[in-house]
Amino acid sequence: LHHGADLAIERHHTDGGGVSDHVFALCHLLGFRFAPRIPNIGNRRLHLFGDMKPGSTVAPLMAQPIDERLISEHWDDVIRLATSIRTGVTSASLMLERLGSYPRANGLALALREMGRVERTLFTLDWIELPEERRRATRELNKGEAQNALKRAIFFHRTGRIRDHGLQA
């Protein structure tokens, strides 16, 4: 979050790497929508709340329901984590690394996973239903790749520093 990210942008586009339920949850908590290009989206499962019944066309895509109890039991920890990241006390990348390495019994990690499943399910349904979402993600990712290619073309050799030892007039 504190590496120059602009939260005024409502979506954060990224290519397939780093797609996890924890990332979906933290992005939502920090006020923007994680919009990745998910590899093998057809193999992803969707999650509903326990009292919801899927329609016949969506039922084959369903996995276990969202555990609302986990979210409510660890809500204070979730808010504390989001506040720590937002205020710069800790970095999002460090916390995501730690959450990914925690044992499966860690309540905060499990609660964030459940929240991320909600966000990922909503995103996946939008991705399937709205072709403009797919086009927008491709446009944004192509723009980022073009910027990176330009930076590589301009900054070369001495770790990005252009040095001119010529005489100045």
Side-chain angles (χ1 to χ4, degrees):
L1 182 63
H2 290 279
H3 57 69
D6 182 4
L7 290 182
I9 299 170
E10 66 181 57
R11 285 178 173 73
H12 173 72
H13 295 281
T14 185
D15 220 346
V19 175
S20 77
D21 293 328
H22 291 144
V23 174
F24 273 101
L26 281 177
C27 285
H28 174 73
L29 289 166
L30 295 172
F32 55 101
R33 187 156 193 211
F34 186 50
R37 185 166 32 196
I38 301 176
N40 304 323
I41 198 163
N43 297 334
R44 299 292 176 140
R45 296 291 163 240
L46 306 177
H47 302 270
L48 297 176
F49 291 98
D51 58 346
M52 299 174 83
K53 302 294 179 220
S56 60
T57 56
V58 179
L61 302 174
M62 291 298 125
Q64 69 272 18
I66 300 296
D67 188 345
E68 298 169 65
R69 178 192 53 79
L70 266 173
I71 297 170
S72 62
E73 284 179 3
H74 298 282
W75 184 247
D76 290 342
D77 294 330
V78 167
I79 296 301
R80 193 173 305 115
L81 172 63
T83 302
S84 295
I85 293 170
R86 173 70 88 169
T87 59
V89 171
T90 189
S91 72
S93 58
L94 174 66
M95 289 314 300
L96 286 168
E97 182 180 319
R98 287 188 179 167
L99 288 167
S101 67
Y102 281 161
R104 299 230 182 258
N106 180 280
L108 173 59
L110 293 174
L112 279 173
R113 181 194 67 194
E114 294 301 306
M115 292 178 67
R117 285 178 172 175
V118 172
E119 290 301 314
R120 183 172 45 82
T121 296
L122 293 171
F123 171 76
T124 302
L125 291 172
D126 284 348
W127 186 266
I128 292 168
E129 186 178 28
L130 304 170
E132 180 52 35
E133 287 294 318
R134 297 188 296 273
R135 285 192 290 275
R136 179 185 296 145
T138 300
R139 252 191 335 266
E140 292 299 318
L141 289 169
N142 288 344
K143 188 187 324 178
E145 285 301 314
Q147 287 175 340
N148 290 338
L150 177 62
K151 288 175 188 174
R152 282 191 302 271
I154 293 173
F155 296 109
F156 58 92
H157 194 45
R158 301 187 181 182
T159 63
R161 291 184 186 90
I162 298 175
R163 298 172 190 207
D164 182 10
H165 295 292
L167 297 174
Q168 291 187 1

